[in-house]
């Protein structure tokens, strides 16, 4: 097949080089953006009198038909035509002849591919944004059901202080809320229209770049033609946002995996979100959570891959940049695969509130509160810390928890301890006295949930 750029060449490309060079296998997914972008470009060329108006109309109609044919599965893309841009241009020229050959006036594939990928990622960011909003909604509604569910909070994976399950869930709400705002930020920098940059040095034609940006729903145009074709920061930035989302999903998955174990037994995944073992009949494995944790690695890998691809490239376009697509497509696909399944998994899991409470009671999670009790009776905190430390040591030797010690036993350690110690160290008091803003108390978590609901309502309106 003759190449669209074949004029300067005496020999045809080696077959292996055709395969090697071609990106149609993966960039065909940009067909819609390529066609919409070309349509806007053609309209602008017609309006500016750069090509005859009649030709512009033929191009616009031809492209619309090609779009329909692709969507109906009637188009077969050709490896020889290299990439999506030349495949579509060739289809157009085959169909409408002369006029089709005018489409590429004042444009290069370098600014064309930059446009396509920006349009594509803008759409994907919006879709992922919706999925994140859905997850935030699921977290809030679960949290509402568990304001009174007490569980142990951990540091170093050692029991630390009691909290509520709602408080734990709302911690993830905050992480994913930040992910949402990072995506919104990334969108702003993706929403910049590069056509008019040409190959690298702009163009001699009187292009109306603002018209094209308007037609395509971009809020800005790129300000430097070299940068317009060589910038892939927005791709890397998105890969970074996606990595962060996966990191948060993975941490949460890790907890769910631990909590599903016999040792914790805090949650049980629904049968529909678990799998069995081919040999051990008793097994019910949290594979979905494990796969999400596992897939995090590939998204991080894509981020590193993209950074590395770009690190040594002189301005402006280099063919290396064709290597941006597979990683970012896969990162996007992976996140879009994980988010909904994660939402459904947590929405359907059983929360074993009794075991969580039991877990909170063990491990001296109320020791800080016992020390605080002494402080409230006038003892300096450092001294109180030491007294309760000794008490804990004693309780361990007796195989008792703090609330199982008698008042006489308490008095051995400090005579300011009275009967009210038992209420001061009850799980409910431990949680509910932590009513500081951002704390786990019922009052504080209810306020956090109310704020979160308001945030979600406002975000949906956007
Ligand atoms: N397929 C190419 C890419 O994805 C399109 C741009 C090609 N430009 C060029 N000068 N060879 O990057």
């Amino acid at each position: 097949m003759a190449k669209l750029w074949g004029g300067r060449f005496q020999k045809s490309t080696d077959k292996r080089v055709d395969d090697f060079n071609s990106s149609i296998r993966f960039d065909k997914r940009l067909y819609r953006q390529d066609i919409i972008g070309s349509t806007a470009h053609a309209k602008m060329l017609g309006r500016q009198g750069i090509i005859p108006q009649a030709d512009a109309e033929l191009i616009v109609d031809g492209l619309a038909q090609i779009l329909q044919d692709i969507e109906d599965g009637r188009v077969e893309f050709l490896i020889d035509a290299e990439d999506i841009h030349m495949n579509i241009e060739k289809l157009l020229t085959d169909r409408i002849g002369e006029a089709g050959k005018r489409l590429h006036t004042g444009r290069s594939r370098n600014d064309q591919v930059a446009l396509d990928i920006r349009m594509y990622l803008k759409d994907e960011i919006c879709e992922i944004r919706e999925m994140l909003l859905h997850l935030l909604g699921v977290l809030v509604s679960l949290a509402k059901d568990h304001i009174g569910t007490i569980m142990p909070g951990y540091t170093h994976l050692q029991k630390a202080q009691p909290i509520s399950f709602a408080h734990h869930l709302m911690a993830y709400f905050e992480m994913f809320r930040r992910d949402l705002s990072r995506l919104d930020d990334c969108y702003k920098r993706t929403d910049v229209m590069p056509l008019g940059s040409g190959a690298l040095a702009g163009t001699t034609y009187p292009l109306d770049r603002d018209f094209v940006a308007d037609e395509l729903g971009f809020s800005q145009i790129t300000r430097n033609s070299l940068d317009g074709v060589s910038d892939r920061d927005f791709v890397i930035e998105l890969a970074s946002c996606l990595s962060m989302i996966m990191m948060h999903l993975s941490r949460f998955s890790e907890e769910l995996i631990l909590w599903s174990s016999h040792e914790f037994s805090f949650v049980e995944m629904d049968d529909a979100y678990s799998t069995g073992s081919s040999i051990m009949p008793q097994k019910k494995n949290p594979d979905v959570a494990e796969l999400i944790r596992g897939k995090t690695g590939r998204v991080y890998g894509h981020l590193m891959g993209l950074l590395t691809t770009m690190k040594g490239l002189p301005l402006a376009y280099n063919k290396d940049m064709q290597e941006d697509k597979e990683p970012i497509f896969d990162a996007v696909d992976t996140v879009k695969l994980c988010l909904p399944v994660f939402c459904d998994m947590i929405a359907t899991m059983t929360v074993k509130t009794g075991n969580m409470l039991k877990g909170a009671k063990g491990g001296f999670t109320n020791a800080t509160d016992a020390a605080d009790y002494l402080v409230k009776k006038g003892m300096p905190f450092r001294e109180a810390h030491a007294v309760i430390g000794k008490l804990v040591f004693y309780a361990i030797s007796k195989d008792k928890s703090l609330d199982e010690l008698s008042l006489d036993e308490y008095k051995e350690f400090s005579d300011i301890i009275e009967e009210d110690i038992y209420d001061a160290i009850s799980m409910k008091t431990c949680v509910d006295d932590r009513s500081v803003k951002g704390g786990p108390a019922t009052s504080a978590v209810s306020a956090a949930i109310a704020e979160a609901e308001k945030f979600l309502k406002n975000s949906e309106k956007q």
Side-chain angles (χ1 to χ4, degrees), residues 148-339:
T149 302
I150 293 176
M151 67 176 285
Y154 296 83
T155 62
H156 312 266
L157 198 57
Q158 304 284 323
K159 281 181 192 173
Q161 290 170 341
I163 55 171
S164 69
F165 185 43
H167 193 53
H168 199 101
L169 290 165
M170 292 307 287
Y172 281 103
F173 183 94
E174 294 303 331
M175 295 175 232
F176 290 116
R177 182 204 321 239
R178 287 194 296 275
D179 289 338
L180 190 76
S181 107
R182 264 185 283 273
L183 271 186
D184 287 347
D185 238 38
C186 176
Y187 184 91
K188 281 184 223 149
R189 284 179 283 277
T190 307
D191 186 22
V192 191
M193 206 291 296
L195 277 194
S197 302
L200 76 161
T203 177
T204 54
Y205 299 98
L207 303 188
D208 184 348
R209 300 187 63 204
D210 297 306
F211 170 84
V212 176
D214 256 17
E215 274 292 284
L216 297 175
F218 278 91
S219 60
Q220 288 184 65
I221 61 174
T222 52
R223 285 187 286 261
N224 177 293
S225 66
L226 284 175
D227 183 49
V229 287
S230 56
D231 169 28
R232 292 294 182 273
D233 304 7
F234 60 98
V235 179
I236 297 173
E237 190 175 349
L238 180 58
S240 155
C241 295
L242 298 176
S243 295
M244 201 83 85
I245 293 172
M246 290 304 296
M247 184 268 285
H248 289 146
L249 287 176
S250 184
R251 286 186 82 173
F252 205 163
S253 294
E254 166 69 8
E255 294 195 315
L256 295 173
I257 294 161
L258 280 172
W259 294 351
S260 305
S261 69
H262 186 73
E263 287 73 7
F264 276 83
S265 219
F266 285 179
V267 294
E268 183 175 341
M269 297 303 149
D270 193 75
D271 278 3
Y273 289 86
S274 312
T275 52
S277 155
S278 58
I279 171 168
M280 296 168 280
Q282 85 284 10
K283 291 281 265 178
K284 183 168 168 186
N285 296 328
D287 288 33
V288 172
E290 289 171 59
L291 266 177
I292 292 171
R293 187 178 59 183
K295 285 177 189 293
T296 303
R298 68 197 280 167
V299 177
Y300 288 7
H302 293 321
L303 171 61
M304 279 319 294
L306 285 164
L307 282 165
T308 312
T309 298
M310 293 304 293
K311 79 182 257 292
L313 301 187
L315 300 189
Y317 179 85
N318 301 267
K319 190 72 173 225
D320 313 45
M321 287 156 75
Q322 181 165 286
E323 291 291 310
D324 64 351
K325 289 174 201 62
E326 286 163 293
I328 196 64
F329 290 165
D330 187 69
V332 162
D333 291 350
T334 304
V335 168
K336 285 172 72 181
L337 201 61
C338 291
L339 276 172

Side-chain angles (χ1 to χ4, degrees), residues 23 27 83 85 109-110 113 317 319 321-322 325:
S23 53
D27 67 14
D83 55 24
H85 324 294
R109 268 188 300 154
N110 298 351
V113 71
Y317 179 85
K319 190 72 173 225
M321 287 156 75
Q322 181 165 286
K325 289 174 201 62

Side-chain angles (χ1 to χ4, degrees), residues 416-430:
I416 61 171
I417 299 179
E418 302 293 345
E419 192 62 37
D420 56 354
I421 181 76
Y422 297 106
D423 179 54
I425 61 167
S426 81
M427 288 297 115
K428 192 157 166 41
T429 311
C430 291

